[in-house]
Amino acid sequence: MVAHQKPGSFKSSTMAAKNHLSLLLLLLLQLFYSGRGELQMNYYAKSCPKAEEIIKQQVADLYYEHGNTAVSWLRNLFHDCIVKSCDASLLLETVMGVESEKDSERSFGMRNFKYVNKIKAAVEQECPLTVSCADIVALSAQYGIIMLKGPEIELKTGRRDSKVSYSHLVEAYVPRHNESLVNVLSLFSSIGIDTEAAVALLGAHSVGRVHCVNLVERLYPSVDPTLDPEYAKYLKGRCPTPNPDPKAVLYSRNDRETPMILDNMYYSNILNHKGLLIVDQELASNPLTLPYVKKFAADNQYFHAQFSRGIRLLSENNPLTGDEGEIRKDCRFVN
């Protein structure tokens, strides 16, 4: 006698097999991702609930002692995140075969790294080996921007620290001081930052200063014709020689009107041919970027909104998470 399968039983067994396969795939995916994680808001809420407040207080205290630290935190974020990953590889010192990214010519003028160690020490005292140096880079920038009267930007945390330096990649990712705008936009695009956000991030040039080493090619032997003549005269007064000493205190502020305020004055300046670097002036002459420059110059609130978006994109570039990397005890050295 031949056994007959009940109607629908074949279909039921097929569905059961598919469900079993789906469950198996889900378990495999969970196994694959078990050592990984994602950035999230308030990552340290349970493991170190005071971490962000400690960093905020340290940034404020340092700002009132050394105002230029706030600018350094912003520059640190860019230099760390633009090179491969937001992983504090920037902070590693040259030691035992490790070549520091800080030693690159592209890091010329960067300073205040010793104060990163001060912030780290304060956090370590509260929660040993819990908060990464990469998150300290991000959060110090977040609070530094506030000290510069910029927008309040809430950044995600949960980054881990790199065990290696990427000094060999610095020149490929960090623009030269005289880099063309096209190349700068291409670099930003390569890490997922669109043109408008890139133009907003260049607004960070609103604060801080530029050493004469990076300015003289626009002044000597002849003045760049795109510079406002009176502004060029001022710059030559700040940089009186075509061969300035890199170690000398010879510089010009990016923004003479509000030099320590992160605002849209930068865009008004470049529309008036008062941009310091070549890339600054090209922003106002390139038809792709000029509309954004005009929009930012007219509306500081809109500039802050786009700057905030750009900072979030930058700060989330390819972070190490989960079991990747490590949490350094000292930001200058791998454990």
Side-chain angles (χ1 to χ4, degrees):
M1 179 181 256
V2 179
H4 291 283
Q5 199 168 21
K6 292 181 179 179
S9 62
F10 177 75
K11 185 176 181 180
S12 298
S13 61
T14 301
M15 288 296 294
K18 285 184 177 179
N19 290 337
H20 180 73
L21 181 60
S22 297
L23 180 61
L24 182 61
L25 286 172
L26 181 61
L27 290 171
L28 287 172
L29 283 171
Q30 288 177 337
L31 181 65
F32 178 74
Y33 284 105
S34 61
R36 304 182 62 129
E38 293 183 355
L39 300 183
Q40 56 188 267
M41 301 303 298
N42 302 312
Y43 177 83
Y44 299 106
K46 292 183 179 179
S47 60
C48 189
K50 294 182 180 179
E52 295 198 18
E53 190 58 40
I54 291 171
I55 296 170
K56 181 179 182 179
Q57 188 61 53
Q58 286 289 317
V59 166
D61 290 347
L62 285 165
Y63 173 78
Y64 291 119
E65 291 178 27
H66 315 279
N68 58 30
T69 53
V71 181
S72 295
W73 308 150
L74 184 52
R75 191 176 179 190
N76 283 357
L77 182 72
F78 171 74
H79 278 255
D80 187 45
C81 291
I82 198 76
V83 181
K84 189 162 178 76
S85 169
C86 295
D87 57 9
S89 60
L90 169 70
L91 303 179
L92 290 172
E93 296 281 356
T94 296
V95 61
M96 295 180 64
V98 175
E99 183 179 350
S100 177
E101 295 173 26
K102 294 182 287 186
D103 293 341
S104 168
E105 288 185 3
R106 303 292 168 88
S107 301
F108 175 73
M110 296 188 74
R111 52 187 174 161
N112 293 320
F113 290 111
K114 62 183 177 182
Y115 298 124
V116 177
N117 302 328
K118 184 177 184 298
I119 297 172
K120 175 64 170 174
V123 176
E124 282 294 303
Q125 187 173 1
E126 177 72 18
C127 308
L129 289 172
T130 304
V131 180
S132 70
C133 298
D135 277 339
I136 288 175
V137 168
L139 292 173
S140 61
Q142 172 183 311
Y143 297 124
I145 289 167
I146 294 173
M147 302 311 295
L148 295 168
K149 297 181 173 58
E152 293 189 17
I153 312 168
E154 291 189 0
L155 299 181
K156 294 179 180 179
T157 43
R159 299 166 189 78
R160 304 266 294 179
D161 298 325
S162 170
K163 295 182 180 180
V164 296
S165 166
Y166 300 111
S167 57
H168 61 291
L169 296 177
V170 171
E171 292 194 5
Y173 284 95
V174 178
R176 295 168 296 162
H177 69 275
N178 60 352
E179 196 74 71
S180 72
L181 175 61
V182 171
N183 287 344
V184 170
L185 294 179
S186 177
L187 285 169
F188 277 120
S189 178
S190 71
I191 63 168
I193 296 178
D194 59 90
T195 299
E196 184 172 22
V199 175
L201 286 174
L202 286 169
H205 289 179
S206 172
V207 293
R209 60 191 189 180
V210 175
H211 196 284
C212 288
V213 166
N214 294 333
L215 296 178
V216 289
E217 70 179 89
R218 298 192 72 197
L219 302 173
Y220 303 99
S222 59
V223 174
D224 183 335
T226 63
L227 275 172
D228 172 81
E230 286 300 312
Y231 188 60
K233 185 177 179 180
Y234 160 76
L235 291 179
K236 292 189 84 167
R238 300 294 303 176
C239 306
T241 169
N243 299 299
D245 181 355
K247 296 181 180 179
V249 183
L250 295 168
Y251 63 86
S252 176
R253 294 285 180 187
N254 286 321
D255 174 4
R256 294 166 66 190
E257 286 81 5
T258 55
M260 291 298 287
I261 297 178
L262 185 60
D263 60 11
N264 63 343
M265 186 62 71
Y266 165 77
Y267 300 99
S268 297
N269 286 338
I270 60 178
L271 286 172
N272 291 317
H273 302 281
K274 296 179 180 179
L276 278 184
L277 301 177
I278 291 173
V279 68
D280 297 329
Q281 202 53 59
E282 286 187 351
L283 278 176
S285 59
N286 187 304
L288 183 63
T289 56
L290 179 57
Y292 300 128
V293 171
K294 289 181 175 179
K295 197 167 186 177
F296 294 158
D299 189 339
N300 191 58
Q301 188 173 357
Y302 185 73
F303 159 57
H304 277 177
Q306 293 305 308
F307 183 81
S308 299
R309 186 171 68 86
I311 287 291
R312 290 191 195 96
L313 290 171
L314 178 65
S315 71
E316 295 176 18
N317 179 38
N318 193 33
L320 301 180
T321 57
D323 292 336
E324 299 171 310
E326 65 180 8
I327 304 295
R328 289 185 215 142
K329 181 176 179 60
D330 186 321
C331 293
R332 298 169 297 173
F333 313 106
V334 296
N335 294 341

